[in-house]
Amino acid sequence: MRSWTRPDIPPLPGRGRAPRLHDDSSGRFLDTTPSGDTPDATLYVCGITPYDATHIGHAATYLAFDTLVRTWLDAGLTVSYTQNVTDVDDPLLERATATGVDWRELAAGQIELFRTDMAALRVTPPDAYLGVTETIDEIAAAVDELRRRGIAYTVPTPDAAEEAGEDWYFDIAAAEAATPWVLGSESGLDRPVMSELFAQRGGDPDRAGKRDPLDPLLWRAERAGEPAWDSVVGRGRPGWHIECSVIARETLGDRIGVQGGGGDLVFPHHEFSAAHATALTGERFADVNAHGGLVAFDGEKMSKSLGNLVLVSQLRAAGVEPAAVRLAILAHPYRDDWEWHRGDEARAAERLAGWRAAVERDAAAGVSGAGDALGAELPGADVPGADVDDALTLLEGVRSRLHDDLDTPGALDAFDDWFAEPHSAASHALAADALDALLGIRL
Ligand code: 5CA
Ligand code: ZN
């Protein structure tokens, strides 16, 4: 499906480096420079289930990976980025039923709102933006292939519509025997923790007929009143993890650089998306598993069911500049869990206003170059031949912060220091370009 408008990214002098990123599978920091056989930096980020878009938690996740994309682009890499939309799944259908809206209408409206919010926040769009409903045949074919390899089995559905009758499950034990993947190798978690999370996050450990309580659903046979598609594995709809596994492989190939999302996806979602892919390819799915922290509000993880959503669109409607929302979010390390507080947007707006005032202050005072006759002659700076050594030093500092696991708070602190001192118009122009290109904030 259509994604959203790509923000302009001003060119910067020189080059940054692909960042080192925390990998949640190994607990180590890994270099994200693409290896020789895959020249593109590839990224898959789990997209929204379109029913309560776009809250600050969603925005934080997509801004974290937007920072990764911007840092990769600054390193001169070609980036291939895919994001899905879970446009058919239990939570969406439940919400549609509860509110008396057709699930397709609910999804379409929420996807459009999400696009508008992402464009307003100047988030770089994915190159491929795909809904589950656009990928049904490919997903069913993957389930069928798992069946052929003896890694999928059926469980009868007594409550199914007449012609249907069998759900498909992924056989953890069979996959472990046949592939390099073992349960926990992606999430790094042990079985008791996984059992707890599985039940909390959409799993069905008590379903009768499963071989292992943690075996995840691959394909759900049609139920009365639910959407369903004809397929090689019967009439029904895809399970959640196989959706992302297939959309990622269809668009990015068998091995991807970074699999990303919010921290709520570490298990079971990313464990099994990777397991399904490995069961089909024989190789590891992603070089790095990267997750953002979870954003809370009023003491709880932000979610509609708890009634504690702060929506980007509400803030925008209240007149908050999107750059201030961006600044408020990027002020947190992306891996931290944190809480949004009332007034965060106003504090960020003040910080932004302070930076803008500093540029005006220096323009009014007529601050000129640092006076170093041997200063860099910078192609692309506003004033040809102007001395912008100070701005080049800032740029180097910001690049080094982002290289270090996307340290956006550190990068923003460098800008605070910058605006506290007088600089020439040419230096300010370069600093503004750096802020825009790397952090998406336009002064
Ligand atoms: N459609 C699935 C992924 S395939 C899903 O989790 N959708 S979602 O709408 O619930 O979340 C969209 C993205 O935002 C996911 O990457 C999720 O991990 C992230 N996310 C959800 N809630 C929060 C939160 N409170 N804080 C930070 N990130 C969150
Ligand atoms: Zn996903």
Side-chain angles (χ1 to χ4, degrees):
M1 58 177 72
R2 189 169 55 79
S3 62
W4 56 88
T5 316
R6 185 171 293 276
D8 285 336
I9 298 185
L12 297 175
R15 264 198 188 162
R17 284 175 296 159
R20 57 202 274 284
L21 214 53
H22 188 266
D23 169 43
D24 291 315
S25 302
S26 62
R28 293 189 298 132
F29 293 91
L30 300 180
D31 183 4
T32 59
T33 306
S35 50
D37 48 340
T38 49
D40 290 6
T42 51
L43 171 66
Y44 183 85
V45 179
C46 282
I48 54 164
T49 304
Y51 65 93
D52 58 8
T54 310
H55 61 61
I56 294 290
H58 296 143
T61 290
Y62 299 114
L63 282 177
F65 292 99
D66 178 54
T67 309
L68 174 61
V69 169
R70 287 170 180 271
T71 307
W72 272 342
L73 292 172
D74 183 51
L77 294 166
T78 306
V79 178
S80 296
Y81 174 16
T82 297
Q83 194 180 119
N84 70 309
V85 185
T86 308
D87 60 355
V88 60
D89 199 12
D90 296 350
L92 173 70
L93 300 175
E94 283 160 19
R95 177 61 58 79
T97 305
T99 51
V101 183
D102 182 87
W103 63 275
R104 282 158 292 220
E105 264 176 52
L106 174 61
Q110 289 286 301
I111 293 165
E112 189 50 32
L113 179 61
F114 178 70
R115 285 188 189 109
T116 312
D117 288 333
M118 289 295 106
L121 290 173
R122 310 188 70 239
V123 172
T124 47
D127 304 290
Y129 192 47
L130 276 173
V132 190
T133 58
E134 298 175 301
T135 338
I136 299 284
D137 291 345
E138 291 82 353
I139 297 171
V143 176
D144 195 41
E145 181 60 22
L146 290 171
R147 174 198 62 77
R148 209 184 56 73
R149 295 182 185 210
I151 301 177
Y153 63 96
T154 55
V155 174
T157 57
D159 54 342
E162 266 169 44
E163 323 84 87
E166 285 182 328
D167 293 332
W168 285 92
Y169 280 87
F170 182 74
D171 189 326
I172 291 175
E176 286 184 331
T179 78
W181 172 83
V182 292
L183 182 67
S185 54
E186 296 290 334
S187 59
L189 299 172
D190 59 23
R191 192 163 177 114
V193 174
M194 287 190 276
S195 297
E196 206 181 312
L197 293 175
F198 190 75
Q200 281 168 18
R201 296 177 179 166
D204 54 357
D206 301 325
R207 172 77 189 271
K210 278 170 61 171
R211 294 177 185 169
D212 181 324
L214 298 189
D215 283 348
L217 180 73
L218 289 168
W219 185 265
R220 178 174 161 94
E222 182 174 21
R223 305 293 200 279
E226 288 187 6
W229 290 260
D230 287 321
S231 86
V232 283
V233 285
R235 193 169 161 75
R237 60 181 165 93
W240 179 29
H241 320 304
I242 190 77
E243 155 197 350
C244 285
S245 192
V246 169
I247 292 176
R249 285 185 51 231
E250 286 284 325
T251 52
L252 300 172
D254 285 351
R255 173 120 186 175
I256 65 172
V258 176
Q259 167 172 241
D264 54 335
L265 302 184
V266 170
F267 190 87
H269 189 51
H270 285 167
E271 180 76 43
F272 289 124
S273 300
H276 299 340
T278 301
L280 292 166
T281 64
E283 59 172 312
R284 196 142 180 248
F285 177 52
D287 294 333
V288 179
N289 272 309
H291 296 95
L294 292 179
V295 183
F297 183 59
D298 283 344
E300 299 269 10
K301 179 190 144 178
M302 227 174 248
S303 83
K304 181 86 171 200
S305 53
L306 296 169
N308 64 342
L309 293 184
V310 179
L311 298 179
V312 171
S313 52
Q314 282 168 349
L315 293 171
R316 288 170 48 223
V320 179
E321 187 187 354
V325 177
R326 215 182 153 102
L327 185 52
I329 292 173
L330 294 179
H332 296 271
Y334 82 95
R335 288 197 292 126
D336 280 8
D337 292 337
W338 56 279
E339 181 156 352
W340 177 269
H341 294 290
R342 286 176 185 79
D344 275 2
E345 71 282 8
R347 279 181 285 277
E350 257 175 54
R351 190 177 187 185
L352 198 53
W355 291 353
R356 286 175 176 146
V359 178
E360 282 177 25
R361 172 201 68 204
D362 294 352
V367 178
S368 58
D372 176 1
L374 300 174
E377 302 247 325
L378 182 73
D382 273 359
V383 181
D387 170 13
V388 290
D389 270 2
D390 50 356
L392 290 173
T393 305
L394 168 72
L395 176 58
E396 196 184 317
V398 170
R399 279 176 168 153
S400 128
R401 286 299 82 235
L402 295 178
H403 172 72
D404 183 10
D405 198 27
L406 308 175
D407 175 12
T408 53
L412 295 173
D413 287 348
F415 282 100
D416 278 335
D417 294 345
W418 169 266
F419 289 113
E421 300 292 332
H423 300 285
S424 69
S427 290
H428 271 312
L430 175 51
D433 278 354
L435 184 62
D436 186 355
L438 295 169
L439 294 156
I441 294 168
R442 191 169 271 181
L443 285 184

